[in-house]
Amino acid sequence: MKDYNSQPKNAMTDFTIFYTDDDEDDLSIFADAVESIPQNIKLQTYSAGQNFLNAIFHPPATPYVVFLDLNMPGKNGFDVLEELRNSDYQKDIPVVIYSTSSEPSIIEKCRDLGANCFITKPVLMSDIIKSIEHAIQIDWNKFIPTQSNFVFKY
């Protein structure tokens, strides 16, 4: 696990984001994007689904939002999402699927499994930043995923 702490000027609210992805480049790019956002964000990254599950359950951690890649060896994003949603204590943590896929059947499966939002991984840094900002601006306690707001378009 890598722990990135950014402390930009004028930080108003603290956020903790967990991001799980087996691609080290994607983890690094995401961390760079977080550092450029004008909020105090603590980013914890995990390179495998099982590593994330170990962290979220032992001891129970409560991130503001989880970004979760789907295509990982071992426990993939679907497995991780399903295990999280079936847990007694961590089932309500907001999960943003962050995947290279944009297949409607994959998106629908993520909704069915209880994801809160779906973002196709952006190529441009500005769009990665927009995606992260979108996720931290949502009041997840009130947000209800619908057909029209489930997929974020940057």
Side-chain angles (χ1 to χ4, degrees):
M1 173 189 78
K2 293 180 184 169
D3 187 5
Y4 298 91
N5 239 337
S6 66
Q7 296 179 347
K9 296 176 185 169
N10 301 322
M12 295 183 289
T13 307
D14 292 345
F15 296 97
T16 299
I17 296 175
F18 283 15
Y19 176 35
T20 305
D21 197 316
D22 65 315
D23 186 315
E24 288 294 328
D25 290 337
D26 284 352
L27 291 171
S28 179
I29 292 166
F30 193 92
D32 290 344
V34 164
E35 288 179 12
S36 69
I37 295 174
Q39 274 93 8
N40 187 18
I41 300 172
K42 181 179 182 187
L43 175 63
Q44 294 186 25
T45 62
Y46 302 90
S47 59
Q50 189 60 55
N51 293 349
F52 163 76
L53 289 170
N54 291 342
I56 202 88
F57 290 126
H58 306 103
T62 54
Y64 184 74
V65 66
V66 170
F67 279 74
L68 180 62
D69 183 36
L70 291 176
N71 299 316
M72 296 182 289
K75 288 196 179 198
N76 64 31
F78 296 117
D79 299 332
V80 171
L81 179 60
E82 195 166 14
E83 195 166 325
L84 192 62
R85 291 301 182 239
N86 288 328
S87 74
D88 289 333
Y89 302 106
Q90 302 296 60
K91 64 184 175 196
D92 296 325
I93 291 175
V95 175
V96 173
I97 301 300
Y98 194 66
S99 176
T100 55
S101 177
S102 59
E103 292 291 320
S105 62
I106 301 274
I107 293 169
E108 191 59 35
K109 182 176 181 179
C110 292
R111 261 190 80 203
D112 290 345
L113 288 173
N116 299 84
C117 185
F118 190 99
I119 299 173
T120 301
K121 286 183 185 177
V123 175
L124 299 176
M125 180 61 82
S126 61
D127 291 336
I128 296 170
I129 292 167
K130 284 180 196 171
S131 299
I132 297 167
E133 287 177 330
H134 172 74
I136 64 173
Q137 289 170 358
I138 292 174
D139 180 348
W140 293 108
N141 292 320
K142 297 179 182 175
F143 182 81
I144 299 171
T146 65
Q147 191 74 33
S148 62
N149 69 7
F150 184 69
V151 176
F152 175 67
K153 307 253 191 238
Y154 36 88

